[in-house]
């Protein structure tokens, strides 16, 4: 039996799963709850769901996210800082720590499970 949820529902589920991984890995700058997340962060999750639904792999999801961030003026930085637009994950997929690659795999698996 196939389940297809609206894209914004899936984005919310993925966002909250990402927060769970952030909590487990003691992320120093965890994302806020979906209800409190800024619009740009929600839009990023929706875009990720749409990209995953088009058949992207976890690696392609990361690279798409990275390209979107860089186009919006974000750069690599040791600390995630929305005001300064810096993020430590703005590196090629192969350079990500294992827990960051796991977040992409979890995001991908959730989308595939409900699409």
């Amino acid at each position: 039996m196939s389940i297809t949820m609206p894209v914004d529902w899936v984005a919310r589920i993925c966002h909250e799963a990402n927060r769970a991984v952030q909590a487990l890995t003691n992320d120093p700058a965890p994302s806020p709850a979906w209800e409190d997340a800024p619009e740009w962060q929600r839009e990023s999750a929706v875009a990720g769901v749409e990209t995953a639904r088009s058949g992207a792999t976890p690696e392609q999801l990361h690279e798409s996210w990275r390209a979107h961030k860089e186009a919006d003026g974000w750069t690599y930085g040791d600390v995630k800082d929305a005001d300064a637009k810096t993020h430590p994950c703005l590196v090629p997929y192969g350079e990500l720590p294992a827990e960051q690659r796991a977040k992409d795999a979890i995001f991908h698996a959730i989308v595939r499970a409900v699409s």
Side-chain angles (χ1 to χ4, degrees), residues 16 43 52 77 99 110 112 114:
E16 294 301 333
E43 289 172 0
E99 68 271 7
I110 290 168
R112 303 310 293 165
V114 294

Side-chain angles (χ1 to χ4, degrees), residues 58-76:
E59 181 174 356
Q60 290 167 329
L61 285 173
H62 173 73
E63 295 303 337
S64 175
W65 169 86
R66 186 173 142 213
H68 177 77
K69 285 289 196 206
E70 289 173 346
D72 193 35
W74 287 67
T75 59
Y76 172 84

Side-chain angles (χ1 to χ4, degrees), residues 29-114:
S31 299
W34 181 261
E35 298 84 18
D36 301 323
E39 190 62 28
W40 64 262
Q41 196 167 41
R42 290 188 206 182
E43 289 172 0
S44 178
V46 167
V49 170
E50 291 170 341
T51 301
R53 282 185 169 178
S54 74
T57 65
E59 181 174 356
Q60 290 167 329
L61 285 173
H62 173 73
E63 295 303 337
S64 175
W65 169 86
R66 186 173 142 213
H68 177 77
K69 285 289 196 206
E70 289 173 346
D72 193 35
W74 287 67
T75 59
Y76 172 84
D78 290 332
V79 179
K80 180 171 63 175
D81 182 334
D83 293 329
K85 290 190 172 185
T86 60
H87 202 297
C89 293
L90 283 171
V91 297
Y93 182 81
E95 294 177 21
L96 287 173
E99 68 271 7
Q100 297 302 322
R101 290 191 309 271
K103 287 192 321 189
D104 291 317
I106 291 165
F107 190 106
H108 182 264
I110 290 168
V111 174
R112 303 310 293 165
V114 294

Side-chain angles (χ1 to χ4, degrees), residues 1-46:
M1 181 165 115
S2 177
I3 300 170
T4 302
M5 291 183 173
V7 69
D8 58 319
W9 291 15
V10 181
R12 182 181 186 144
I13 293 166
C14 289
H15 177 86
E16 294 301 333
N18 183 55
R19 283 175 23 85
V21 173
Q22 289 173 331
L24 290 169
T25 60
N26 296 314
D27 188 313
S31 299
W34 181 261
E35 298 84 18
D36 301 323
E39 190 62 28
W40 64 262
Q41 196 167 41
R42 290 188 206 182
E43 289 172 0
S44 178
V46 167

